Amino acid sequence: MVKRVSMKAADCPVARSLDVIGDWWSLLIVRDAFDGMRRFGEFQKSLGISKGILTSRLLALVEFGVLAVEPASDGSAWQNYVLTPKGEGLFPMIVALRQWGEVFCYEKGEAHSILIERKTGKSLAPLRVRSSSGRVLDARDTLVKKIS
């Protein structure tokens, strides 16, 4: 088994981000939290994940401040996992992954889910990277600059 190497001291924001949410289970838990899931059993049923893996991923997401634990609103002994502002900040990334998958991971006509705007019932416009002036950019228009 390969030992996971921590990237929390990396000078690259992508590497540090992946250190927090880079495994597929964590991202799928965050996706489900955006879809309204709150309880351990809901995540487990949705993902078909073992209790041990789910427990470790939930603990890590809480430790990193992506999720918070709150008492269940129904007064039971259960607890809810809710997105924090840091977790809610992952929404554009989840949408970007979803839109990429819709374009590149399905054959034409193959059934899949789509994300729609609640108010209008319409599909979202494709996400685009834009300059500070609003111009659409692609990878050739950018470069990485280290700051200290």
Side-chain angles (χ1 to χ4, degrees):
M1 189 153 147
V2 177
K3 183 169 168 61
R4 188 172 182 270
V5 176
S6 174
M7 296 287 191
K8 65 176 140 186
D11 64 357
C12 173
V14 174
R16 284 194 185 196
S17 298
L18 288 173
D19 197 58
V20 176
I21 45 88
D23 69 275
W24 67 58
W25 291 123
S26 294
L27 281 174
L28 292 173
I29 291 166
V30 169
R31 177 209 59 191
D32 283 356
F34 277 116
D35 289 345
M37 292 181 199
R38 301 284 177 263
R39 295 205 175 157
F40 187 96
E42 293 174 323
F43 291 117
Q44 188 179 28
K45 183 178 179 183
S46 170
L47 299 171
I49 187 175
S50 77
K51 288 181 180 182
I53 292 173
L54 180 57
T55 297
S56 70
R57 295 312 188 276
L58 286 170
L59 288 172
L61 290 167
V62 169
E63 179 185 324
F64 288 124
V66 172
L67 295 175
V69 178
E70 294 181 350
S73 57
D74 62 7
S76 68
W78 302 105
Q79 56 188 13
N80 290 337
Y81 294 91
V82 296
L83 290 163
T84 64
K86 187 186 285 188
E88 290 171 352
L90 291 168
F91 184 67
M93 187 180 73
I94 296 292
V95 172
L97 282 170
R98 170 180 279 285
Q99 289 182 346
W100 181 87
E102 288 171 359
V103 172
F104 295 109
C105 296
Y106 292 89
E107 297 296 323
K108 185 175 179 138
E110 186 179 358
H112 63 281
S113 64
I114 60 168
L115 186 63
I116 61 171
E117 183 181 355
R118 190 180 303 268
K119 185 176 180 179
T120 66
K122 294 183 179 179
S123 296
L124 304 182
L127 289 181
R128 299 288 182 243
V129 176
R130 298 185 181 274
S131 70
S132 58
S133 66
R135 188 171 53 91
V136 174
L137 303 174
D138 66 26
R140 293 175 301 249
D141 297 317
T142 66
L143 65 97
V144 174
K145 179 181 176 183
K146 305 254 186 213
I147 58 172
S148 36

